[in-house]
Amino acid sequence: MCGWYKRWYLQALPSYIQLSRHAVFYCRVAVPQSLRPVIGRREIRRSLNTLCRH
């Protein structure tokens, strides 16, 4: 994916969906402050096992 198209494409995605530098989509969700000691993380990030083919 190149230049302006990549910027436009990423702006069209919801904030919880991210595209890695390897063209894999990820879902990212923040962990509430009260659950952070239990889970041990600030956010949970999981691969959607999909690729961007552009």
Side-chain angles (χ1 to χ4, degrees):
M1 202 179 305
C2 62
W4 69 269
Y5 183 77
K6 182 177 182 179
R7 286 191 301 274
W8 172 83
Y9 189 77
L10 293 178
Q11 288 176 352
L13 293 175
S15 61
Y16 56 88
I17 302 293
Q18 293 185 328
L19 183 61
S20 76
R21 65 181 180 170
H22 304 291
V24 176
F25 286 102
Y26 285 87
C27 178
R28 191 183 86 174
V29 179
V31 175
Q33 187 74 35
S34 60
L35 294 177
R36 288 180 187 174
V38 176
I39 296 177
R41 306 172 109 180
R42 291 178 55 120
E43 65 183 28
I44 298 172
R45 185 173 184 239
R46 294 286 183 251
S47 172
L48 299 177
N49 295 318
T50 56
L51 295 173
C52 177
R53 300 262 181 203
H54 294 282

